Amino acid sequence: MNEKIAAIRRFNRFYVQHVGAIDAQFLGSEVNATEARLLYEIAERAPVRATTLQEIMQIDPGYLSRMITRFVRNDLVTRNSPTHDRRARPISLTDRGRVLLAQLEERINGALAQTLDSLPPIEQNDLVQSLSRAHRLLAPASEARFTLRLAGAGEPSLIASRQSALYAESHGWGHKLECLIAETVASYLRHFNPDREACWVAELDGVMAGAVFLTDESGGTARLRLLHVEPFARRRGVGDALVQNCLSFARDKGYERVILWTHTVLETARRLYARNGFVCIATAPHDLFGVPLQGEDWECRLTPDTTPTP
C-alpha cells in the first residue's frame, strides 16, 4: 500500500508542476490555477450561488469569498441579486471575465496541443486512455455515455488479457482459465467469418469498458463468448447493451438461437443473461480451471425482430 500511495503522490507533484498549478499567474494570466477553475465553474453554471461553487470546488468558504470579492473588484464577475446575503446572490461573468476565460481556454488548449505533439499518435492515445481511466476509477458515478463498436486490431488479445486478470483477481481462476481464454480468442481470429461473427467493444471516454464475442457454432446456432465489463464501468448498462447487441446481430444473420456457458457462482452474469431472454438448460460439474465448479449451459431462442420501424 505504501508503494501505491507514494506513486500517486509522486504523480501529483509532477502534474502540479507540469500544469503550473502553483504559479501565481496561471499560464501568464492575472489569475492562479484555482481562480482559473473558479472562473470556468461560474461560466458553466451562471447564474450560480457561492454555496454551490463551494460544494463543487470543495474549498474553504472564506477563501472562496475572497476570490469572488477580488473578481468583483477586477470586474470579472457580477452579483445579480440585490439581497444582503452575499451567499444567495447569483454570480455571473462580466464581459471582461468572459474575455479572460476565452484567453485562458486558448492558452490551455495550446499548451495541451504542444504536449500531445511531443508524443507519437499511439502514445497520445495511451495518455488519453490512462487519464480517462483514472477519472472513471476515482469518480465512478460521474456522468458518461458509452458507445459500442467493432473491435480493432490487437483488441481481441487485450480482451483475453483483461478477462484472465479479472477472473484471477475476483475468483482465483488462474493459469488454466487463461489458457482456455487464449485458445478461444486465437481460434476466433484464425477462423473469423465477418459475415457471421463479430467482437464488440464498449467504449467510455476512449477507454475499453467491456467487450463480447459472438461466434458461429453452425446449424443455426451462435455462441456468446467472453463477455466482460470493466469494474469502473459497471452499473451503467454496459453488459445489457453488449448482450442485446449480440442478440440483434444474431437475429439479423438468421440464427435460430444463441447459447453460452457460464457458472453458478457468477450470480451477476446469470441475472444479466436471464433478463435478456436466456434460460439455463443444463448444468454439469467440472474442474477445468483447477477448482471444482458448476458449469451451466444457457440458451436464448430467437424470433424475428418485430420492433416497428420509426
Side-chain angles (χ1 to χ4, degrees):
M1 179 63 73
N2 288 338
E3 292 181 359
K4 295 175 182 178
I5 292 172
I8 293 173
R9 295 189 64 184
R10 185 165 56 249
F11 177 80
N12 286 343
R13 290 193 298 272
F14 156 76
Y15 190 68
V16 165
Q17 182 177 9
H18 180 73
V19 301
I22 58 177
D23 296 343
Q25 293 181 314
F26 182 58
L27 294 175
S29 70
E30 62 185 85
V31 296
N32 61 35
T34 304
E35 292 170 334
R37 186 194 165 195
L38 177 56
L39 285 174
Y40 174 81
E41 297 295 348
I42 293 172
E44 285 290 295
R45 295 168 172 80
V48 59
R49 301 181 189 277
T51 50
T52 302
L53 293 169
Q54 197 275 326
E55 292 173 1
I56 294 168
M57 298 188 64
Q58 292 294 297
I59 58 177
D60 178 72
Y63 179 38
L64 176 65
S65 178
R66 290 191 295 274
M67 284 193 292
I68 294 174
T69 298
R70 178 173 175 265
F71 285 173
V72 171
R73 186 170 60 247
N74 292 339
D75 192 29
L76 298 176
V77 304
T78 180
R79 294 182 183 274
N80 300 324
S81 175
T83 177
H84 294 294
D85 185 355
R86 289 188 299 174
R87 295 172 301 176
R89 294 163 63 185
I91 303 164
S92 301
L93 292 183
T94 62
D95 289 342
R96 186 171 184 273
R98 284 188 285 272
V99 169
L100 175 58
L101 185 60
Q103 292 172 346
L104 284 171
E105 290 277 355
E106 184 177 357
R107 293 176 188 179
I108 291 170
N109 289 340
L112 291 175
Q114 189 174 9
T115 297
L116 290 171
D117 286 343
S118 69
L119 301 172
I122 192 168
E123 292 182 7
Q124 293 179 16
N125 292 335
D126 287 345
L127 175 62
V128 172
Q129 290 178 15
S130 296
L131 294 175
S132 295
R133 182 178 292 273
H135 179 200
R136 295 303 161 198
L137 288 171
L138 295 174
S142 57
E143 291 186 11
R145 288 186 177 183
F146 64 87
T147 57
L148 301 187
R149 60 171 175 78
L150 292 172
E155 289 187 318
S157 298
L158 287 176
I159 295 165
S161 174
R162 288 301 295 160
Q163 283 254 329
S164 300
L166 290 171
Y167 278 124
E169 181 177 345
S170 63
H171 291 80
W173 300 343
H175 176 71
K176 290 187 176 181
L177 173 62
E178 186 169 357
C179 288
L180 180 60
I181 291 174
E183 290 166 357
T184 298
V185 173
S187 178
Y188 168 83
L189 293 171
R190 189 175 296 114
H191 305 293
F192 176 53
N193 179 356
D195 294 328
R196 302 285 288 169
E197 301 175 316
C199 172
W200 293 275
V201 168
E203 188 173 83
L204 196 156
D205 286 349
V207 178
M208 183 186 295
V212 70
F213 293 78
L214 191 80
T215 59
D216 187 356
E217 300 292 293
S218 75
T221 298
R223 181 178 291 275
L224 187 154
R225 294 179 179 269
L226 301 181
L227 172 70
H228 91 281
V229 178
E230 292 289 340
F232 74 86
R234 291 172 184 170
R235 294 175 295 280
R236 293 179 180 271
V238 173
D240 287 284
L242 288 167
V243 171
Q244 290 163 14
N245 202 63
C246 282
L247 295 177
S248 178
F249 177 87
R251 190 175 286 111
D252 289 344
K253 298 301 180 180
Y255 286 108
E256 297 174 3
R257 65 174 187 153
V258 176
I259 60 174
L260 62 87
W261 185 53
T262 189
H263 294 82
T264 305
V265 296
L266 301 179
E267 296 179 359
T268 300
R270 296 174 78 253
R271 290 194 295 270
L272 167 65
Y273 298 137
R275 67 175 172 263
N276 282 286
F278 285 85
V279 294
C280 182
I281 58 174
T283 62
H286 73 85
D287 60 358
L288 294 175
F289 307 162
V291 293
L293 291 167
Q294 186 79 8
E296 298 180 346
D297 292 308
W298 288 59
E299 173 189 71
C300 178
R301 288 281 176 178
L302 300 177
T303 56
D305 189 356
T306 57
T307 303
T309 302

